[in-house]
Amino acid sequence: MRDHKKTALDDAFPEPDHREPKDSKVMNSVHEEVTKELGFQTSLFTFFPLPRKNVGKEMTKEVQGRTCMYLGFYGIPYTTIDRRMLEIITTKKVQSKSRVIQFGSVTDTIRESGGHRGGSYIKPMKDSLLRISGLTIHLTENVKTERFEGITGKNFHIADEFKILWANGRTDLVVPELLDSLNYMTISEEFASLCDDAAPHIQADYLKIQSALTQDIYPWLCAKLYHLKDKDELIRWSWLYAQFGEGKRMTDNQTKSFRKKFKASGLEIKQDLYQKANYEFTDEGILLKKSPPLIEPDSKKAGFSLFY
């Protein structure tokens, strides 16, 4: 049987590399010289953004002919804390070059994600780690040639193994100092490969973002502007609805509300997070123009996934 044409899914998930991380070819110059200032987020959750409200345990999203189904044993991640924790997990993987992500105590994790120390933060942090640990992803893409057609796909989960410990009882009586080094997650090889191709940003900037929509748009804009050729590129509103909308047909009022929120996020990013970004909003969509990269790469492979 003849091999079918290589698809974007094949590019997004290279064959697992079982050698020691220091010898792995997926590491590039940006990843090899990781500093504490850099954070990383995978393109998966930008190309197929997580919901921004509680949708339960299942969600399907279709973008540019590719379909993603999220299944969550503890519910699908949807909060700003969930997105921060995914960024922290990805960054820890890049920094440590290990699939075993050590969280330390819940207090440590709260501080790292930008939360304040206090018993009231234990439950949302615990819920977030459980939602991430129980997340399974199904990706499919339609394939069509002159001789045949079909579907290619990847099925994987975030965590192979995890341990999340927290104090019980009344949260107002709990001192959140919990069992250092016992909270951890071993991420799957498939998710680890996405981490290895994650795009860099300034972690402190990402962790201070208060809007889930801005958290999704920020890494997307960084990567889109990085890949932009000499020509300007217009991303139409219809494409932005499909990618960053809530996955349903929107009414006129919902469309106007989405545009207003998207523009507000774009303005926040340009003013506070990526001042050198060159883009403008029009009646047709967002017009991207050649911009200096947020993180100056040493090579052409600056950790940017082919998902974009």
Side-chain angles (χ1 to χ4, degrees):
M1 181 175 177
R2 295 180 62 185
D3 293 336
H4 69 270
K5 184 179 179 181
K6 193 175 184 182
T7 69
L9 287 174
D10 296 320
D11 288 331
F13 292 94
E15 289 299 317
D17 191 335
H18 298 285
R19 295 173 296 173
E20 289 298 314
K22 64 182 180 180
D23 297 324
S24 175
K25 291 183 179 180
V26 299
M27 286 297 168
N28 53 65
S29 58
V30 170
H31 283 197
E32 288 171 350
E33 299 178 7
V34 171
T35 67
K36 291 183 178 180
E37 288 76 23
L38 291 185
F40 296 84
Q41 185 66 291
T42 72
S43 61
L44 172 67
F45 299 116
T46 302
F47 195 86
F48 298 108
L50 294 163
R52 297 189 293 277
K53 61 184 179 182
N54 190 349
V55 297
K57 296 186 175 184
E58 180 179 331
M59 186 188 84
T60 301
K61 197 171 188 69
E62 184 173 347
V63 180
Q64 300 178 21
R66 306 173 201 172
T67 301
C68 174
M69 175 182 284
Y70 289 127
L71 296 174
F73 186 83
Y74 299 101
I76 298 172
Y78 68 97
T79 68
T80 55
I81 293 178
D82 294 337
R83 287 165 166 81
R84 288 174 192 165
M85 288 311 305
L86 281 165
E87 193 268 2
I88 288 171
I89 290 167
T90 303
T91 301
K92 283 180 176 291
K93 164 60 176 75
V94 174
Q95 290 175 338
S96 69
K97 301 179 176 65
S98 171
R99 291 198 295 121
V100 180
I101 310 300
Q102 298 285 355
F103 295 119
S105 71
V106 169
T107 306
D108 295 336
T109 307
I110 288 173
R111 290 195 187 106
E112 193 164 1
S113 65
H116 299 289
R117 181 180 175 214
S120 62
Y121 279 80
I122 291 179
K123 186 179 186 304
M125 187 62 62
K126 174 262 295 185
D127 291 344
S128 177
L129 289 173
L130 288 178
R131 281 192 291 266
I132 293 169
S133 300
L135 186 63
T136 299
I137 299 103
H138 303 282
L139 295 172
T140 59
E141 181 176 11
N142 293 329
V143 178
K144 189 172 183 179
T145 69
E146 293 181 357
R147 301 187 61 181
F148 65 88
E149 59 183 281
I151 297 176
T152 63
K154 292 280 185 181
N155 303 321
F156 65 100
H157 50 270
I158 299 295
D160 282 346
E161 183 180 353
F162 63 93
K163 182 182 287 185
I164 313 295
L165 303 177
W166 63 93
N168 54 23
R170 287 175 54 185
T171 57
D172 58 329
L173 300 179
V174 172
V175 178
E177 295 290 352
L178 303 178
L179 301 170
D180 283 308
S181 301
L182 290 182
N183 296 294
Y184 72 91
M185 179 187 301
T186 303
I187 61 175
S188 67
E189 287 188 348
E190 291 83 1
F191 185 65
S193 72
L194 285 179
C195 294
D196 289 335
D197 287 328
H201 54 250
I202 306 301
Q203 186 174 49
D205 288 344
Y206 184 90
L207 294 181
K208 72 182 181 183
I209 297 173
Q210 299 298 313
S211 161
L213 180 59
T214 305
Q215 287 176 317
D216 294 338
I217 297 172
Y218 175 49
W220 173 79
L221 265 177
C222 293
K224 289 294 289 185
L225 290 172
Y226 175 83
H227 284 294
L228 195 65
K229 306 301 181 185
D230 294 331
K231 233 175 133 180
D232 297 350
E233 181 179 357
L234 175 67
I235 310 295
R236 298 189 179 276
W237 284 114
S238 57
W239 287 70
L240 297 173
Y241 299 152
Q243 186 164 352
F244 295 100
E246 294 296 335
K248 297 180 180 179
R249 189 181 183 90
M250 293 189 289
T251 65
D252 289 342
N253 287 337
Q254 289 172 327
T255 299
K256 291 178 182 177
S257 176
F258 174 84
R259 288 194 185 194
K260 183 178 179 180
K261 292 176 180 177
F262 197 97
K263 288 179 179 179
S265 291
L267 181 61
E268 177 187 354
I269 291 168
K270 183 177 282 191
Q271 288 181 340
D272 301 332
L273 307 174
Y274 189 178
Q275 289 84 0
K276 294 181 180 180
N278 190 7
Y279 56 87
E280 62 184 57
F281 291 100
T282 71
D283 291 340
E284 295 179 285
I286 182 172
L287 183 63
L288 306 178
K289 302 179 181 181
K290 192 67 178 174
S291 306
L294 178 69
I295 305 297
E296 195 68 41
D298 293 334
S299 73
K300 294 182 180 179
K301 291 183 182 181
F304 290 95
S305 167
L306 296 176
F307 250 130
Y308 294 100

